[in-house]
Amino acid sequence: MPRFSGFRAVRYAAEPYDTDPYELLIAPPYDVLSEAQAAGYRERHPHNITHLDLPVGPDRYTRAGELYRRWLADGVLVADEVPTLTIYRLRFRDATGSLRSIAGVVGGLEVVDEGTAPDSKGGVLPHERTTPKASTDRLDLTRATQANLSPVWGLSLSSGLTELLVEPAEPIAAVHDHDEFPDGVEHVIERITDPERIAAIAAIIAADDVLIADGHHRYGVARTYRDEVRSRTGRRDTAAEATLAFVSELVEDQLSVAAIHRLYRGVDLDQLRTALARCFELVPIGRPDQDTLSRMEADGFLTLITPDGAYALTPRPGAFDGMRRLDGLWLEHTFADVDAEVSYQHGVDEVLSAVESGAAAAGILIRPVSVAEIERTAREGLLMPPKSTFFTPKLKTGFVIRDLTD
């Protein structure tokens, strides 16, 4: 089972920011920000985390590393005096209007080797196949800063973690933002210094597998970086043996899982329709909107969007017998013989825009994966198709940094 441990977390110093709240210093994760959005966060404050996490220009990684060390030397960032864990609470209303509260803990999660069976990964399991990424951006940044800036999101399959996080700890920050939901999300950060409580939390997480919900690429980068450190130092006891991770319990009432829809390019629309007709009944419907997603879940259909209209895709009897109830898997089966470029998009409006503008030949709206299916897939050591789940809300970057120097 995976080791989970406290560490001397690096945080923004409290004193200089009495009048500059955390809202000016933190940012959404690097992989959800456009260039324009990232630039906007850099303009918020000269110490905003995007100056480190999304550097720009020539020698940007070298400069990010130099800036990180300067902030440490100048006291902009300070390390906790003792190893700590950090409780991270998120409170929000989801797309259905239901009030949700997620409680997780930020610490150092063991970096284990990649494998195909659960016992070969040391208890840290991917839950979906990942798409190849040619960019070495995160690896180059990690090498230059020698720090983990953005946490992986892990789901603990062990019961009892939520209960251990009920008691409040030392308040660090409380930020309310409107990045993802109309009513906003409250991000509450608390520091745990009690060694006994830290040990109890670590023991609960180590008692069962941890499923990577978000951050597969970051975890893979941590593995590469760990191997580089091992090769360079000959040691297996450095900070690189773990990576920054937020771990919450896999319980349905805490998780908000959205779908990631499909866009298809480089394919003839008639060929796409013919393939779909073998597995689905196509029924014309009106222009999709947010209410369409609710009807899809209630009535059991997917939605095809084309330049000439939208269609409800209802599975034909027997078309997917023996297959898991995953829309992404059904579409992979349906288009097994179709040569098309597939990309992924979160929002209904964005899918409509891509199709109507001609940027995509067609789009298909799919339904979110259930928490029960996520756990079943993990327990059976299986992988979902790429981009099967989109966990919300997103964790902010900048509340906790994990230094990798020894």
Side-chain angles (χ1 to χ4, degrees), residues 240-355:
E241 296 293 319
T243 194
L244 185 67
F246 166 87
V247 178
S248 60
E249 189 173 345
L250 180 59
V251 286
E252 186 162 7
D253 63 350
Q254 288 198 48
L255 292 178
S256 175
V257 186
I260 306 181
H261 310 300
R262 274 49 179 164
L263 291 171
Y264 297 90
R265 299 179 177 86
V267 62
D268 181 77
L269 192 55
D270 288 338
Q271 184 185 10
L272 207 65
R273 283 200 186 96
T274 299
L276 285 167
R278 289 195 292 265
C279 298
F280 296 91
E281 295 179 5
L282 281 70
V283 178
I285 58 173
R287 191 175 192 272
D289 54 25
Q290 291 299 322
D291 291 338
T292 304
L293 299 179
S294 299
R295 295 198 302 273
M296 285 166 55
E297 290 199 64
D299 298 337
F301 66 91
L302 289 64
T303 299
L304 169 67
I305 299 174
T306 72
D308 57 3
Y311 303 81
L313 302 175
T314 303
R316 293 187 182 278
F320 303 109
D321 284 354
M323 297 179 64
R324 286 172 292 152
R325 296 181 61 83
L326 297 171
D327 290 356
L329 191 63
W330 289 358
L331 291 176
E332 283 189 343
H333 171 76
T334 299
F335 296 136
D337 299 325
V338 176
D339 185 15
E341 177 189 345
V342 185
S343 60
Y344 307 91
Q345 182 55 255
H346 304 146
V348 174
D349 290 342
E350 289 78 4
V351 174
L352 284 165
S353 176
V355 174

Side-chain angles (χ1 to χ4, degrees), residues 44-273:
R44 284 191 176 189
H45 196 282
H47 296 155
N48 187 278
I49 193 64
T50 50
H51 291 283
L52 299 180
D53 200 38
L54 281 168
V56 294
D59 301 322
R60 57 187 178 276
Y61 303 113
T62 299
R63 290 188 294 104
E66 292 171 348
L67 185 62
Y68 171 61
R69 286 180 282 277
R70 187 186 314 141
W71 285 4
L72 286 170
D74 293 346
V76 173
L77 298 173
V78 295
D80 289 345
E81 294 182 358
V82 296
T84 60
L85 291 177
T86 301
I87 298 177
Y88 191 148
R89 307 183 194 277
L90 300 109
R91 298 168 181 149
F92 62 103
R93 290 190 181 277
D94 64 17
T96 70
S98 300
L99 185 63
R100 291 186 181 270
S101 179
I102 300 173
V105 60
V106 180
L109 179 66
E110 181 183 9
V111 177
V112 300
D113 292 331
E114 188 174 14
T116 54
D119 59 1
S120 71
K121 302 189 193 72
V124 180
L125 314 176
H127 86 281
E128 62 185 22
R129 301 193 305 275
T130 55
T131 53
K133 288 195 176 182
S135 172
T136 62
D137 170 68
R138 292 298 100 180
L139 181 56
D140 290 336
L141 186 63
T142 304
R143 289 167 174 159
T145 59
Q146 297 183 70
N148 298 142
L149 301 176
S150 299
V152 171
W153 186 337
L155 300 173
S156 174
L157 302 188
S158 180
S159 61
L161 177 59
T162 301
E163 184 177 349
L164 287 181
L165 302 179
V166 169
E167 180 185 347
E170 176 192 356
I172 295 294
V175 174
H176 195 273
D177 75 78
H178 292 80
D179 284 338
E180 294 180 73
F181 297 96
D183 293 334
V185 180
E186 187 178 16
H187 301 256
V188 179
I189 305 298
E190 303 163 4
R191 174 167 47 199
I192 302 175
T193 56
D194 178 10
E196 291 187 2
R197 191 176 185 189
I198 290 173
I201 291 170
I204 281 284
I205 293 174
D208 207 338
D209 296 330
V210 171
L211 180 68
I212 298 177
D214 193 8
H216 290 83
H217 181 61
R218 270 164 276 174
Y219 193 80
V221 165
R223 185 183 295 121
T224 300
Y225 183 77
R226 177 208 64 181
D227 291 345
E228 290 179 352
V229 172
R230 284 180 176 180
S231 177
R232 185 173 66 250
T233 65
R235 294 170 53 190
R236 290 179 175 240
D237 62 348
T238 71
E241 296 293 319
T243 194
L244 185 67
F246 166 87
V247 178
S248 60
E249 189 173 345
L250 180 59
V251 286
E252 186 162 7
D253 63 350
Q254 288 198 48
L255 292 178
S256 175
V257 186
I260 306 181
H261 310 300
R262 274 49 179 164
L263 291 171
Y264 297 90
R265 299 179 177 86
V267 62
D268 181 77
L269 192 55
D270 288 338
Q271 184 185 10
L272 207 65
R273 283 200 186 96

